[in-house]
Amino acid sequence: MQPLISTLPLMQMASGDELSLQLYRFVGESPGKKVYLQSNLHGAELAGNAVIHRLIDWLSGLEPAQLQGEIWLVPVCNPLGVNTRSHNFSSGRYNPYDGRDWNRIFWDYESATADSSDAIATFAQSHLESEPDTIVQAYRQQILAAFQIKAVQLEDPPGMPVHELYAARLQTLALDADYLIDLHSSANRGLIYLYYFTERAAAARMFGLQFAALLDNYDGDAFDEAFIKPWLALESAFKALGRHLRLEIEAYTLELGAGMELSPVAVEQGLQGIQHYLSEKGVIMGVPLPTVETRELVMTRTSQFTKYFAPVGGFLRSRVEPGTWVRAGTVLYSLLCFNKSGQLPSLKPIRAEHAGLVYDVSINQAFNQGEYVLAVLQPDD
Ligand SMILES: [Zn+2]
């Protein structure tokens, strides 16, 4: 099975150069779910590109009868972010034009207009007796109809600012998906894990990564959030009317290890996780998969993440590695602190507030006060 490849215009630069996205679309023999995957939305987060390459190879070796539905793959989905440098470093987390985080800009139907929540409640009321498939189809049309306003603005004056233009181009590809997977990594050095949303814990386990974190406190319009929040809002609206409905719509962000590298371990785990997920979901059928080494899966939630920031300026002299379990009171790291008060330099140890797993550490070993040093998670009970 070969992919359909299309090159899609993204935006034109002042120099006249055109930026584009390239989509690889595998279409199965029978209709089914649409799966959308992209990588490298943040400029330093490279590993997902290798995962998509491996997926293209893998899917190319399958027969169309082994795929039910479609799989859409968009590697290097943010050319501006991917190509940004400060000296040797890929620094493309923020758009230098307006300072925005590239993954906090996306259009979310749930909060797009003042009357969105009324529209969602009305929809639930009028579909109280409908079958889930009917609900998904009709609600998707409602979301796409609202998004048309963006599509029109893309073409006509007065136009729209860079972040909205970019978001609209990317979301045009993904808004009608059933399963959406956004491939990130740490910008620093981190473990391999994923973010999932409420009532999707069982499916999150299908990826078999080191840990899975429920997004129980959102911090903005990330790509996965903007996609799934309208669907979660619909499920809530049904719940308020007494109907419990878990729609077959899912979104995940995979975090594949360290930034600025394509670690073979992270690429392999990311690939295997996605293969197992697609297989368990019945998107890929009759394909034997390599058995995955059994890992103890830690379930947690983002409200149980603690980030540690340097309490004073200084230089790292010791630090626990990602993957270390610590107790409350364990020394997490120590800083070498110079001063301008006529004193000798000193070492300052920083201890863990709570027990947990160290899952991410900064690349830079020099810190101004308040800069990020490491992060610890507490598992669910
Ligand atoms: Zn990211």
Side-chain angles (χ1 to χ4, degrees), residues 149-167:
I149 297 163
K150 290 280 168 190
V152 170
Q153 282 177 341
L154 273 173
E155 310 305 331
D156 291 338
M160 54 171 80
V162 175
H163 68 281
E164 285 184 40
L165 170 69
Y166 172 68

Side-chain angles (χ1 to χ4, degrees), residues 27 105 116 153 178 185 233 235-236 260 270 273 319 325 327 335:
V27 182
I105 58 174
S116 287
Q153 282 177 341
D178 298 280
S185 72
E235 290 176 0
S236 296
M260 292 190 294
R319 183 172 58 190
W325 286 93
R327 297 162 190 268
L335 291 179

Side-chain angles (χ1 to χ4, degrees), residues 27-79:
V27 182
E29 209 168 70
S30 49
K33 304 293 186 196
K34 171 176 170 178
V35 185
Y36 176 87
L37 280 112
Q38 66 178 26
S39 58
N40 217 167
L41 176 56
H42 281 138
E45 304 177 11
L46 318 177
N49 296 322
V51 172
I52 287 188
H53 177 219
R54 297 279 300 277
L55 284 170
I56 290 172
D57 265 2
W58 179 61
L59 294 167
S60 297
L62 304 185
E63 298 299 324
Q66 293 176 298
L67 169 60
Q68 187 167 21
E70 302 194 8
I71 299 177
W72 294 38
L73 302 165
V74 182
V76 286
C77 74
N78 180 3

Side-chain angles (χ1 to χ4, degrees), residues 41-42 45 93 103 184-185 253 255:
L41 176 56
H42 281 138
E45 304 177 11
R93 183 176 184 88
N103 198 21
H184 287 243
S185 72
T253 290
E255 298 283 341

Side-chain angles (χ1 to χ4, degrees), residues 79-239:
L80 281 173
V82 172
N83 297 329
T84 303
R85 296 288 174 279
S86 291
H87 186 214
N88 294 324
F89 300 97
S90 291
S91 55
R93 183 176 184 88
Y94 302 96
N95 180 357
Y97 171 69
D98 59 15
R100 285 170 204 270
D101 185 320
W102 282 115
N103 198 21
R104 300 290 183 272
I105 58 174
F106 292 99
W107 179 87
D108 171 5
Y109 171 65
E110 183 208 11
S111 52
T113 65
D115 55 7
S116 287
S117 54
D118 289 345
I120 294 169
T122 307
F123 179 95
Q125 187 70 58
S126 63
H127 285 83
L128 206 47
E129 307 299 328
S130 303
E131 291 297 316
D133 283 354
T134 310
I135 290 171
V136 167
Q137 277 186 27
Y139 190 61
R140 179 174 287 141
Q141 288 314 313
Q142 187 160 317
I143 294 172
L144 293 174
F147 186 69
Q148 272 308 306
I149 297 163
K150 290 280 168 190
V152 170
Q153 282 177 341
L154 273 173
E155 310 305 331
D156 291 338
M160 54 171 80
V162 175
H163 68 281
E164 285 184 40
L165 170 69
Y166 172 68
R169 292 262 192 244
L170 207 57
Q171 288 186 283
T172 298
L173 303 175
L175 269 185
D176 62 344
D178 298 280
Y179 305 135
L180 176 143
I181 302 175
D182 195 9
L183 301 174
H184 287 243
S185 72
S186 174
N188 290 290
R189 284 199 295 127
L191 299 182
I192 302 162
Y193 63 99
L194 65 78
Y195 291 108
Y196 70 98
F197 292 86
T198 183
E199 295 207 39
R200 271 82 182 156
R205 288 178 177 274
M206 294 173 186
F207 290 88
L209 299 180
Q210 286 164 307
F211 69 88
L214 169 67
L215 271 156
D216 63 344
N217 54 353
Y218 305 133
D219 70 345
D221 294 316
F223 193 73
D224 57 349
E225 290 175 29
F227 170 77
I228 204 169
K229 276 163 68 183
W231 295 95
L232 301 180
L234 180 63
E235 290 176 0
S236 296
F238 274 111
K239 201 171 177 183

Side-chain angles (χ1 to χ4, degrees), residues 258-331:
M260 292 190 294
E261 64 175 53
L262 299 88
S263 137
V265 173
V267 171
E268 196 60 39
Q269 284 191 23
L271 172 70
Q272 288 184 0
I274 293 163
Q275 288 173 325
H276 279 267
Y277 176 78
L278 294 175
S279 178
E280 297 228 16
K281 286 292 181 186
V283 175
I284 296 292
M285 296 169 298
V287 182
L289 293 174
T291 42
V292 184
E293 117 194 44
T294 325
R295 280 177 285 270
E296 193 196 344
L297 180 71
V298 176
M299 302 300 279
T300 182
R301 48 194 68 219
T302 50
S303 59
Q304 293 166 187
F305 283 11
T306 306
K307 287 186 172 175
Y308 284 76
F309 302 96
V312 292
F315 301 91
L316 196 72
R317 292 307 291 134
S318 67
R319 183 172 58 190
V320 295
E321 284 293 305
T324 309
W325 286 93
V326 295
R327 297 162 190 268
T330 303
V331 175

Side-chain angles (χ1 to χ4, degrees), residues 308-313 367-373:
Y308 284 76
F309 302 96
V312 292
F367 305 96
N368 299 313
Q369 184 176 0
E371 289 180 352
Y372 168 73
V373 183

